Amino acid sequence: MASQPNRLDLSYAVRVLESPKQSHLEAMHHVLRYLKWTSGQSLFFSSKFDLQLKGFCDAYWAACLDTRRSVTGYCIFLGNALVPWKSKKQHRVSRSSAKAEYRSMAAAICELSWLKNIISDLSVATH
């Protein structure tokens, strides 16, 4: 099976462009410069497979200049396969970067718990 790259770090920026304004054009130029300098970085899916759940999360504190809300991002792997991933503006304004990170971690743990229960219900052995 061939490897496929994925750019989780861009999903929020692309979604914001649904109703573009001048500030969005400037942001898109920023994204394009970012792509130019990070073109060698991406996620790859391997053909090897083990059934271990692994999750990674991060938050970008006060990312939205209009609302000052942070952006949550997480990705969860089952073996080497990326199963769910998400990048979304948080519902509330975080007063610190630690609080934004905590909210991101809580979202990732909820998703991990849900996946663990589904895998258990399907009687699939993991480690």
Side-chain angles (χ1 to χ4, degrees):
M1 181 173 275
S3 298
Q4 295 179 344
N6 195 340
R7 296 298 301 257
L8 297 175
D9 49 349
L10 298 176
S11 62
Y12 177 74
V14 171
R15 204 180 81 196
V16 167
L17 295 176
E18 292 173 356
S19 55
K21 298 176 183 164
Q22 180 62 33
S23 61
H24 293 111
L25 178 62
E26 293 166 7
M28 183 49 67
H29 287 159
H30 180 77
V31 168
L32 291 173
R33 284 192 303 273
Y34 173 78
L35 280 174
K36 179 181 177 182
W37 292 104
T38 62
S39 62
Q41 299 177 2
S42 60
L43 297 174
F44 290 96
F45 302 117
S46 173
S47 60
K48 295 180 181 178
F49 194 72
D50 65 350
L51 293 177
Q52 182 180 14
L53 275 174
K54 294 177 279 189
F56 303 91
C57 64
D58 198 8
Y60 183 20
W61 183 51
C64 180
L65 298 177
D66 297 330
T67 63
R68 304 308 292 166
R69 290 192 293 174
S70 303
V71 174
T72 287
Y74 65 80
C75 57
I76 298 173
F77 291 84
L78 180 59
N80 292 326
L82 182 63
V83 187
W85 59 271
K86 188 175 204 174
S87 179
K88 181 181 178 182
K89 198 185 300 184
Q90 294 181 356
H91 296 289
R92 294 186 172 88
V93 174
S94 297
R95 294 178 134 189
S96 69
S97 60
K99 188 75 167 186
E101 295 282 351
Y102 173 76
R103 287 184 173 136
S104 177
M105 188 173 24
I109 289 172
C110 285
E111 192 72 21
L112 274 166
S113 297
W114 182 77
L115 281 169
K116 185 178 177 213
N117 287 335
I118 285 187
I119 290 170
S120 176
D121 290 345
L122 294 172
S123 299
V124 176
T126 62
H127 60 273

